[in-house]
Amino acid sequence: MDDLKSALSVHGITLPSLRVDVPSFAGAHSRTAGLVGLGNCNTETARKLIAALWGTGRADGSVLLDLELAVEPAVVPELRRTLRARLGVPCADVQLCVTELVGNVIRHVGEGVPVKVRVSRIGGRARVGVSDPDSRALPVLRRATADDETGRGLALLDAVASRWGVEQGESGKTVWCELA
């Protein structure tokens, strides 16, 4: 519901302006009009709606990078260089997030796995998404101890991103984050 509220707010629509508590409508089966009906959609429809609203069909949204590649450690430095060149501005936080998300796919799903990396601009924010075909290997934010050699990637992402999450689909998942 938070993602839906955020996606709608980019378009100037705030759910409180509907004078309806949308979560209370989630189980209602009566026909409703307009945006109030969004509360009646199932989870899959809500995900599709969020994806459409976060997509590039808006006047203020633009795709800065949209790549499909098979991941392996050697592609990570090239991906950072491509981001710097494409964005044309200092983008250390975006590079860090893409690197950590792609690194997680390599570590937890496997080398050679096909992924889609998308970086887009939404208003004054950057949105990073890394999609892979394994819907079972979900990211978990851990608190690494001083002696742990791994487990800090999502903590770094969590520290620099304003928010992050996972969208699961039938053919995999997308781990995304947003940066100011």
Side-chain angles (χ1 to χ4, degrees):
M1 189 54 71
D2 289 338
D3 285 342
L4 183 56
K5 287 179 182 179
S6 295
L8 288 170
S9 71
V10 170
H11 297 277
I13 302 166
T14 57
L15 293 179
S17 72
L18 301 174
R19 293 183 176 78
V20 173
D21 175 24
V22 174
S24 69
F25 263 74
H29 296 289
S30 61
R31 298 260 320 155
T32 56
L35 293 173
V36 174
L38 292 176
N40 290 326
C41 65
N42 64 28
T43 304
E44 185 60 29
T45 301
R47 284 187 181 124
K48 289 177 183 176
L49 179 61
I50 292 164
L53 290 169
W54 282 129
T56 60
R58 301 187 336 269
D60 69 336
S62 60
V63 174
L64 304 172
L65 180 71
D66 196 4
L67 294 173
E68 292 186 31
L69 63 150
V71 292
E72 57 185 57
V75 304
V76 176
E78 183 60 35
L79 192 51
R80 283 194 295 267
R81 282 190 291 279
T82 301
L83 279 165
R84 274 194 309 272
R86 186 67 64 92
L87 273 60
V89 295
C91 56
D93 289 349
V94 172
Q95 289 175 299
L96 171 72
C97 291
V98 168
T99 298
E100 291 304 326
L101 293 176
V102 169
N104 278 349
V105 173
I106 294 168
R107 247 177 254 101
H108 301 291
V109 181
E111 289 188 33
V113 170
V115 299
K116 182 175 182 175
V117 177
R118 176 176 260 189
V119 179
S120 56
R121 184 184 358 250
I122 300 172
R125 296 180 311 240
R127 182 174 172 88
V128 172
V130 175
S131 303
D132 71 69
D134 190 344
S135 59
R136 297 168 295 141
L138 297 176
V140 176
L141 180 61
R142 297 184 348 174
R143 302 291 178 218
T145 67
D147 294 331
D148 289 339
E149 293 185 19
T150 62
R152 292 176 180 80
L154 283 178
L156 288 169
L157 184 132
D158 190 56
V160 300
S162 54
R163 59 192 210 125
W164 68 275
V166 181
E167 295 171 359
Q168 286 184 281
E170 292 177 20
S171 60
K173 68 179 174 301
T174 299
V175 183
W176 59 268
C177 66
E178 291 178 0
L179 303 118

